[in-house]
């Protein structure tokens, strides 16, 4: 994809060399600044002319972080088994010299999710028509920056911490119930979509959806990033970022689908299958000189 993008940029540049000879005064002699609003978020950029047929843009955009609170069902992760055998576990704790007793563990875990990202961009706009009456353009380039686009984490610090503090006792407990068909060895995790999120050494977890940090871009638009006749201009743009297939990580480790099936993870399942991010942008710009 990177080689293809570079080839497209070189083709556009070579294709406009002849035109540049006819209008040398257009080479980097105009500059504009712009404000963008769209699916990449809110952005700021600068643009300059190369020839009547070619313009360059560079800038940054950020998608404001949006937080969502929900709960995950832990009833199928071994917590019910722990609760049913809580006295057995507490007896083992006392026998093993652990000072704390385990109380009833809730089956709902409060979590918070955040969506947000920041990207820089370098774009090349090619105008097939020199006429200002029809400022249609084709854009190639790339966005680059944040790879983590969604993160989910538990709001109760150390919620799973008892697992590690009482590991020896739970090991004995699992051994005792291994032959009991009514009870299963304890395995604690949070279910999110098709993924099992296991806690870290501090009893917490953080799940993330990550894409490629380098995102090739192609698009089309209408308007001139550097206005030709007026000081102020407006640009409409439609395109796609190719960010690759998103991957899911928990505490820095890539996860594979376990098909545990949780309704709370429907959005995560959908996002993790999207390899192209649509771009719809509106740009208001002003020519400086």
């Amino acid at each position: 994809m990177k080689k293809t993008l570079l080839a497209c940029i070189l083709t556009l540049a070579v294709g406009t060399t002849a035109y540049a000879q006819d209008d040398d005064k257009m080479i980097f002699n105009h500059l504009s600044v712009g404000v963008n609003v769209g699916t990449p978020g809110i952005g700021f950029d600068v643009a300059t002319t190369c020839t009547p047929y070619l313009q360059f843009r560079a800038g940054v955009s950020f998608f404001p972080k949006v937080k969502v609170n929900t709960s995950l069902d832990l009833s199928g992760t071994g917590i019910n088994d722990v609760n049913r055998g809580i006295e057995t576990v507490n007896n083992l704790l006392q026998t093993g010299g652990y000072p704390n007793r385990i109380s009833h563990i809730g089956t709902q875990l409060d979590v918070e999710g955040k969506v947000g990202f920041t990207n820089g961009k370098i774009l090349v706009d090619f105008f097939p028509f020199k006429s200002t009456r029809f400022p249609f353009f084709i854009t190639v380039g790339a966005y680059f920056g944040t790879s983590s686009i969604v993160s989910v984490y538990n709001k109760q610090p150390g919620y799973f911490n008892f697992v590690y503090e009482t590991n020896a006792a739970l090991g004995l407990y699992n051994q005792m119930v291994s032959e009991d068909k009514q009870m299963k060895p304890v395995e604690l995790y949070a279910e999110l979509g098709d993924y099992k999120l296991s806690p870290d050494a501090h009893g917490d977890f953080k799940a993330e959806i990550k894409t490629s940090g380098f995102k090739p871009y192609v698009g089309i638009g209408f308007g001139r990033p550097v206005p030709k006749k007026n000081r102020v201009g407006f640009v409409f743009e439609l395109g796609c970022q190719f960010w690759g297939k998103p991957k899911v990580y928990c505490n820095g480790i890539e996860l594979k689908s376990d098909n545990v099936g949780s309704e709370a993870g429907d959005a995560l399942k959908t996002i993790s299958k999207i390899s192209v991010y649509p771009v719809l942008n509106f740009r208001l710009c002003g020519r400086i000189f």
Side-chain angles (χ1 to χ4, degrees):
M1 180 61 74
K2 294 181 182 179
K3 293 182 179 179
T4 302
L5 177 62
L6 180 60
C8 291
I9 294 175
L10 290 175
T11 300
L12 293 178
V14 172
T16 57
T17 301
Y19 298 113
Q21 295 174 353
D22 296 332
D23 197 348
D24 292 337
K25 295 181 179 180
M26 288 292 292
I27 299 179
F28 305 120
N29 69 331
H30 292 303
L31 181 72
S32 77
V33 295
V35 179
N36 304 272
V37 177
T39 54
I42 302 171
F44 307 90
D45 61 16
V46 295
T48 186
T49 56
C50 181
T51 76
Y53 300 88
L54 201 64
Q55 296 187 359
F56 295 104
R57 282 184 284 157
V60 63
S61 61
F62 62 95
F63 194 97
K65 290 185 178 181
V66 179
K67 294 183 179 181
V68 179
N69 294 290
T70 187
S71 297
L72 301 182
D73 182 14
L74 303 179
S75 60
T77 68
I79 283 183
N80 281 338
D81 290 329
V82 172
N83 286 331
R84 283 195 293 268
I86 202 76
E87 289 303 318
T88 301
V89 175
N90 281 329
N91 289 335
L92 290 172
L93 287 173
Q94 291 179 345
T95 302
Y98 294 92
N100 299 322
R101 292 172 60 86
I102 296 178
S103 59
H104 184 275
I105 306 301
T107 59
Q108 292 291 321
L109 176 63
D110 293 332
V111 300
E112 185 172 77
K114 291 193 299 186
V115 179
F117 43 83
T118 301
N119 288 301
K121 65 179 179 181
I122 298 178
L123 306 175
V124 180
D125 303 315
F126 172 65
F127 293 82
F129 311 104
K130 187 176 181 179
S131 172
T132 58
R133 295 182 178 180
F134 190 66
F136 167 81
F137 62 87
I138 301 170
T139 302
V140 296
Y143 284 73
F144 49 90
T146 305
S147 59
S148 177
I149 57 175
V150 178
S151 61
V152 180
Y153 47 88
N154 57 300
K155 295 180 64 177
Q156 301 162 267
Y159 184 86
F160 292 103
N161 214 29
F162 71 91
V163 177
Y164 299 92
E165 293 175 352
T166 64
N167 194 38
L170 288 177
L172 292 174
Y173 171 72
N174 284 337
Q175 183 178 356
M176 291 175 59
V177 303
S178 61
E179 298 179 357
D180 189 338
K181 296 182 180 180
Q182 301 299 319
M183 302 181 71
K184 300 178 181 179
V186 176
E187 180 184 5
L188 297 178
Y189 55 86
E191 298 178 357
L192 188 62
D194 290 341
Y195 302 92
K196 293 181 178 180
L197 308 181
S198 299
D200 61 14
H202 302 288
D204 302 313
F205 74 83
K206 180 180 181 181
E208 297 177 284
I209 298 179
K210 292 186 177 182
T211 65
S212 172
F214 180 80
K215 312 168 184 70
Y217 174 80
V218 296
I220 58 175
F222 193 85
R224 285 187 175 272
V226 181
K228 192 171 185 180
K229 291 185 176 181
N230 302 316
R231 282 287 182 180
V232 178
F234 179 79
V235 177
F236 168 79
E237 186 180 358
L238 184 65
C240 291
Q241 294 179 18
F242 298 90
W243 62 13
K245 184 178 179 180
K247 298 180 180 180
V248 180
Y249 291 80
C250 181
N251 300 326
I253 301 175
E254 183 181 354
L255 301 181
K256 301 298 182 181
S257 174
D258 289 305
N259 295 315
V260 296
S262 170
E263 293 181 0
D266 287 344
L268 184 148
K269 288 191 293 183
T270 300
I271 293 175
S272 64
K273 296 177 182 178
I274 299 175
S275 60
V276 175
Y277 184 71
V279 171
L280 175 64
N281 238 345
F282 299 92
R283 182 177 188 266
L284 180 65
C285 57
R287 180 163 55 88
I288 298 177
F289 58 84

